[in-house]
Amino acid sequence: MKVLVVGGAGYIGSHTVYELVRAGHEVVVLDNLSTGSAANVHPQAHFEWGDIRRKSDIARVLAAEAETGTPVDVVMHFAAKLIVPESVSEPLAYYENNVEGLRTLLEALVEGGVRSIVFSSTAAVYGEPTSSECHEGDATEPINPYGETKLACERMLKWAAAAYGLDYCILRYFNVAGADASLEIGLDKDRLTHLVPLLMQAALGIRDKLLVFGNDYATPDGTCIRDYVHVTDLARAHVLGAQHLLTNRASVLANLGSGRGFSVKEVVDAARDIFEVPFEYAPRRPGDPAKLIACIDHARETLGWEPEHDLHSILKSDYDFRRKLMLAHRPQAERRCGGTEG
Ligand code: UDP
């Protein structure tokens, strides 16, 4: 299949491009490089600079591909803003980029004759779940503008699909981390509110220590429980999602996690089996639910997807990628961080 990956120069987008290329698919990446980097784009993918908020950028790429005789079969959309605190301080920027961005993209797809779209959504659409395991049919009540814009996008997709004969695969991500086995790509900059990047910074000596937010939650060790999924597993689900759309012409909405929960303390302990992580307990962070775990039965049954990487593999690959990147930029850092790779 030929896939247009919008936002394919970012973290999850670039990993998906790697998986698409490995599976033998043709890939065109459209990205405005606002947060991503052209260096993340697989050398076998064709790169076009463009912005999803400008319909002419998308139309130009779709028309050029159609002229080659093999038009784009499916679009994957990763070009969204995703930092929760930023969404709280700049909600209108989130509505413009995420909601208006999807609206423009859909208009271009309808006019360009592309029927299938794989869309990145998030566990943040559930808000503060009342049950610890999230199912796709659960109530959706986002508690921040980021989750709210993703839910608005999900609803837009449903209405647009019904009106224009599109089919969609909406994937709700839980806690994504890790790096591609090649260590050519990984998460190198943003998301510095998230546990794994901050833990890695503490391990690599970029910050003094990790603060573990709260050890008085109603969980076995008192720290919050989350569901961590390897970015390569997540990427593979997108490839399966696209194939599902083209084969079955039936829309899907599925959670993507590992189906297993780990407490923050368990993540820190798993990391400390591989490298040193200075940490200390700190007060709770506002807005953190105690426990968020995905039920992934639907992705298993509909897409035939099964996560293959465990927590160790997530942490090890993430650490190895960041260490490689850091040493490339700051050779003296090796002496300071004293990493003990397992
Ligand atoms: N967390 C932490 N220290 C940090 C960052 C996060 O203890 O420096 C905790 C956070 O309170 C939550 C869990 O790690 O319980 C996962 O947080 P993250 O921001 O990675 O993802 P979220 O589940 O909030 O989207």
Side-chain angles (χ1 to χ4, degrees):
M1 61 188 168
K2 184 181 270 188
V3 186
L4 172 61
V5 182
V6 184
Y11 174 51
I12 299 171
S14 64
H15 282 80
T16 303
V17 171
Y18 268 59
E19 287 306 296
L20 283 164
V21 170
R22 283 178 184 139
H25 302 296
E26 265 190 277
V27 184
V28 182
V29 170
L30 182 89
D31 201 298
N32 69 2
L33 302 182
S34 59
T35 55
S37 156
N40 290 338
V41 178
H42 194 287
Q44 285 174 43
H46 174 68
F47 175 72
E48 287 280 339
W49 188 93
D51 197 309
I52 53 160
R53 290 163 299 178
R54 206 161 41 215
K55 194 165 73 174
S56 55
D57 285 0
I58 307 153
R60 183 192 72 227
V61 173
L62 294 180
E65 294 306 321
E67 268 174 34
T68 66
T70 49
V72 169
D73 296 301
V74 52
V75 169
M76 296 186 180
H77 173 26
F78 298 95
K81 286 176 167 282
L82 74 163
I83 310 288
V84 169
E86 184 185 62
S87 80
V88 175
S89 56
E90 298 172 38
L92 299 183
Y94 272 67
Y95 275 87
E96 198 234 348
N97 194 98
N98 295 0
V99 181
E100 175 57 16
L102 177 66
R103 195 200 65 78
T104 309
L105 176 64
L106 287 177
E107 217 169 65
L109 298 189
V110 170
E111 290 171 15
V114 180
R115 283 183 52 181
S116 302
I117 177 166
V118 181
F119 179 74
S120 309
S121 190
T122 168
V125 299
Y126 294 114
E128 304 255 22
T130 44
S131 67
S132 58
E133 195 180 60
C134 296
H135 297 82
E136 290 84 354
D138 289 353
T140 45
E141 294 183 28
I143 55 168
N144 53 57
Y146 166 60
E148 197 74 67
T149 59
K150 286 291 184 176
L151 185 59
C153 287
E154 288 192 2
R155 291 182 171 149
M156 189 193 313
L157 275 167
K158 288 175 196 171
W159 291 114
Y164 308 116
L166 309 179
D167 37 55
Y168 58 80
C169 176
I170 294 172
L171 300 171
R172 290 179 176 165
Y173 309 161
F174 281 66
N175 295 59
V176 188
D180 186 75
S182 68
L183 302 186
E184 290 295 324
I185 49 172
L187 181 61
D188 55 355
K189 35 188 177 186
D190 57 3
R191 303 196 195 195
L192 283 180
T193 58
H194 287 276
L195 176 63
V196 173
L198 288 165
L199 181 154
M200 294 302 160
Q201 287 203 333
L204 292 166
I206 298 167
R207 65 178 59 230
D208 288 349
K209 55 184 170 268
L210 172 76
L211 296 178
V212 172
F213 298 135
N215 59 352
D216 56 351
Y217 286 93
T219 60
D221 64 20
T223 66
C224 288
I225 294 175
R226 292 289 181 276
D227 182 333
Y228 297 88
V229 58
H230 195 292
V231 65
T232 299
D233 283 328
L234 197 85
R236 229 170 9 86
H238 292 72
V239 182
L240 294 170
Q243 285 166 334
H244 173 89
L245 293 181
L246 297 184
T247 308
N248 302 304
R249 291 280 166 218
S251 294
V252 185
L253 187 160
N255 288 334
L256 293 182
S258 67
R260 286 198 56 192
F262 290 93
S263 73
V264 176
K265 181 64 171 53
E266 285 173 323
V267 174
V268 172
D269 287 344
R272 281 158 67 100
D273 285 344
I274 317 173
F275 42 79
E276 286 300 314
V277 187
F279 78 97
E280 73 181 35
Y281 290 108
R284 289 182 179 201
R285 188 173 69 173
D288 277 339
K291 194 169 173 184
L292 271 180
I293 303 174
C295 171
I296 57 169
D297 290 349
H298 194 56
R300 280 193 175 111
E301 286 156 16
T302 324
L303 306 179
W305 177 71
E306 189 64 41
E308 288 169 2
H309 295 83
D310 61 9
L311 183 61
H312 177 90
S313 160
I314 292 174
L315 295 169
K316 177 84 169 73
S317 63
D318 209 296
Y319 178 78
D320 287 347
F321 171 74
R322 284 166 202 272
R323 190 153 178 272
K324 179 187 154 191
L325 203 71
M326 194 173 95
L327 294 178
H329 290 134
R330 301 191 313 172
Q332 78 281 12
E334 187 165 27
R335 290 195 299 277
R336 281 204 306 118
C337 75
T340 53
E341 279 178 271

